[in-house]
Amino acid sequence: MSRILLSAMLLAATALPVMAESVNVAVAANFTAVAEELAAKFEAESGHEVELSFGATGQLYTQITQAAPYGVFLAADTERPEKAIAEGLAVDGSFFVYAQGRLALYGEGVDADNGKAALKGDFAKIAIADPEAAPYGQAAVETLEALGLWETLEPKLVQGESISQTLQFIESGNAELGFVAASQVLGKDVWIVPAELHQPIEQGAVLLKAGEGNAAAEGLLQFLRSDAAVAVIEGAGYSVP
Amino acid sequence: MSELYSPILLTLMLALCVTLILLPLATPIAWWLAQGRGRGREVVGAVVTLPLVLPPTVLGFYLLLALGPFGPGGALASLWGARTLAFSFTGLVIGSIIASLPFMVQPLRNAFAAIESEVLETADTLGASRWQRFRRVVLPLARPGYLVGAIMTFAHTMGEFGVVLMIGGNIPGQTKVLSIAIYDFVERLEWERAHVLAGGMVVFGFVVIWSSLVLGRDRERSEN
């Protein structure tokens, strides 16, 4: 028994040339499921420990400005990670786009090719994420404007604080339709909004000052760019530039 | 500027509606809990107090389902051709009534419990009807309780966040109340506006608590 334990420990020691460290990661709500999968993979591969905190990008950024102990910031936009660097909260040169989101229209009677018809149909409420705080909400507004439906649909809008809450409003039936992230509704009947109808939804990652020199934080960011991670991210309904 | 005024007005309206509805609604509940006979008072007392200890997210979650098209709220909304009571002022009133119920019931219950049975019996002996007895005896004696209940209900509704966040849908002028507006300003890094509203709420909260304490002190004096 002790021999097995000893050899296991030796194995673990050879597999882990670095000391196992842990990192707190602030993750945009839309990336929840993917981040959990990636974190598990990274933990298994590296032996480091990853603690994920999910929230709206704006709220997470606010926490970061107030010295929240996050080592890595996986945002839903590029604005706030860049701002974090500009304000000296994140490490220069650590910024990169880890995923590009796709906007999807989801709800009653929506399928892959009737999105525009559904938007012109008869419904009481359409849910979007708060366009001021959530890039997916901004993209939804741009899409409605591009389709010339903004004036007609604005009175029917309800806003979720985040993309997760937007989905709640649709799932609970309180809103018939809504714009969410394609990654949230994988395998469901949705209309993927053509990319030319809105600005690209680029999600930026950045190494925060609290994560500088932390092997877990730096390793995680490196792992995010690996082929294995890119495959997971693409499999979850995002594209990787 | 309307970004600041609209949530303030809406929140004041909501707090006023909830307070005015809860005054008559909580009275029989509190009376029965304080003076009633019969079984089940502990159970009802516990149910009425639940919103004090439950996370607002629990109430918000159940309300989102109950107000929606598959719940009783949706059935009610269909009377005027709507599908859901979520995302509406009516929905916020319903949610806030539930969330603020203990803040009205508790002070009333205490006030009613303090009324001695001799006083009530005297009124009966003098031939007062139940309504007369309530209006001329109970109400004046319980007045401080009503004041504290109304103030606490109003204040608690002003500060309600979790329930509203989950059922409101953030519609300006309809469901975008103060607490949500503050949350949004913070999220958008518009901290100056957040400061205006947040600071105002701190002052308001202090005044409310201070005035309740003064009322309570006056009541003690009048009793001794």
Side-chain angles (χ1 to χ4, degrees):
Chain A
M1 182 68 214
S2 63
R3 199 177 292 178
I4 295 174
L5 204 66
L6 197 68
S7 49
M9 278 165 71
L10 276 170
L11 261 177
T14 48
L16 302 177
V18 285
M19 283 285 290
E21 293 195 58
S22 74
V23 60
N24 289 325
V25 185
V27 187
N30 74 71
F31 210 63
T32 301
V34 201
E36 280 169 345
E37 190 179 340
L38 290 169
K41 271 193 158 55
F42 172 70
E43 283 180 332
E45 194 176 287
S46 68
H48 292 307
E49 205 181 320
V50 178
E51 285 290 338
L52 302 171
S53 300
F54 302 103
T57 295
Q59 280 297 325
L60 293 171
Y61 182 76
T62 303
Q63 291 171 17
I64 289 163
T65 62
Q66 301 306 305
Y70 300 124
V72 171
F73 183 24
L74 302 182
D77 61 7
T78 53
E79 179 199 349
R80 288 184 181 83
E82 282 168 343
K83 205 173 175 130
I85 290 177
E87 309 227 327
L89 300 162
V91 178
D92 245 341
S94 67
F95 172 87
F96 66 98
V97 174
Y98 65 94
Q100 259 186 334
R102 292 305 307 271
L103 190 67
L105 181 71
Y106 173 57
E108 288 174 17
V110 175
D111 62 42
D113 38 34
N114 74 344
K116 287 178 200 168
L119 286 169
K120 287 171 183 151
D122 182 32
F123 57 88
K125 297 282 179 211
I126 178 167
I128 65 169
D130 177 2
E132 300 273 352
Y136 283 91
Q138 183 56 41
V141 173
E142 288 165 5
T143 300
L144 290 176
E145 282 170 345
L147 292 172
L149 293 169
W150 176 251
E151 268 72 37
T152 12
L153 292 188
E154 201 191 1
K156 298 182 175 182
L157 282 186
V158 289
Q159 284 182 21
E161 291 295 337
S162 69
I163 204 82
S164 326
Q165 203 191 13
T166 310
L167 181 60
Q168 275 170 39
F169 287 160
I170 309 163
E171 290 282 7
S172 66
N174 285 295
E176 295 99 315
L177 295 176
F179 283 102
V180 292
S183 55
Q184 294 172 286
V185 284
L186 273 186
K188 292 182 172 162
D189 269 342
V190 296
W191 179 58
I192 301 288
V193 177
E196 66 270 14
L197 291 180
H198 60 80
Q199 297 289 317
I201 306 166
E202 295 191 318
Q203 304 198 185
V206 79
L207 178 67
L208 296 166
K209 283 278 159 78
E212 212 173 0
N214 175 331
E218 288 166 359
L220 179 68
L221 285 171
Q222 214 152 18
F223 170 77
L224 274 178
R225 280 178 278 199
S226 69
D227 289 346
V230 167
V232 171
I233 295 170
E234 284 179 339
Y238 295 86
S239 47
V240 178
Chain B
M1 231 27 235
S2 84
E3 280 214 3
L4 288 179
Y5 281 130
S6 156
I8 294 175
L9 281 176
L10 182 72
T11 312
L12 288 169
M13 270 300 294
L14 179 68
L16 190 68
C17 284
V18 170
T19 308
L20 289 179
I21 293 171
L22 270 179
L23 279 168
L25 193 71
T27 295
I29 301 172
W31 180 257
W32 183 68
L33 288 174
Q35 298 274 358
R37 303 276 170 269
R39 297 234 176 99
R41 278 194 302 160
E42 290 82 1
V43 176
V44 174
V47 169
V48 167
T49 314
L50 258 186
L52 263 185
V53 294
L54 285 179
T57 44
V58 171
L59 294 178
F61 169 57
Y62 285 135
L63 277 163
L64 191 64
L65 300 179
L67 296 177
F70 314 116
L76 192 63
S78 64
L79 295 179
W80 55 90
R83 283 175 83 253
T84 174
L85 283 180
F87 321 133
S88 70
F89 185 75
T90 314
L92 291 199
V93 171
I94 293 171
S96 304
I97 283 174
I98 294 169
S100 295
L101 189 62
F103 292 86
M104 187 65 90
V105 170
Q106 215 45 51
L108 290 189
R109 186 184 179 173
N110 294 342
F112 292 154
I115 299 174
E116 280 151 21
S117 51
E118 290 89 348
V119 178
L120 298 174
E121 281 158 18
T122 310
D124 287 340
T125 329
L126 293 171
S129 70
R130 293 197 66 162
W131 170 240
Q132 281 176 318
R133 187 182 78 175
F134 178 75
R135 250 200 53 202
R136 302 213 178 147
V137 179
V138 174
L139 216 48
L141 286 172
R143 226 179 86 154
Y146 273 98
L147 266 174
V148 170
I151 290 173
M152 291 312 285
T153 301
F154 193 89
H156 181 252
T157 307
M158 287 283 291
E160 178 52 56
F161 175 68
V163 172
V164 179
L165 181 81
M166 290 183 76
I167 62 172
N170 207 348
I171 303 168
Q174 267 191 69
T175 59
K176 188 170 184 152
V177 298
L178 259 170
S179 56
I180 305 278
I182 294 170
Y183 181 92
D184 285 347
F185 284 140
V186 172
E187 182 154 271
R188 296 170 192 177
L189 301 175
E190 294 181 34
W191 289 7
E192 276 178 26
R193 285 168 152 177
H195 270 305
V196 171
L197 292 181
M201 281 304 281
V202 171
V203 172
F204 168 81
F206 176 83
V207 169
V208 164
I209 295 165
W210 175 77
S211 58
S212 318
L213 291 174
V214 169
L215 278 171
R217 194 191 56 201
D218 290 351
R219 186 175 39 172
E220 271 174 31
R221 273 203 200 143
S222 66
E223 277 167 7
N224 298 339

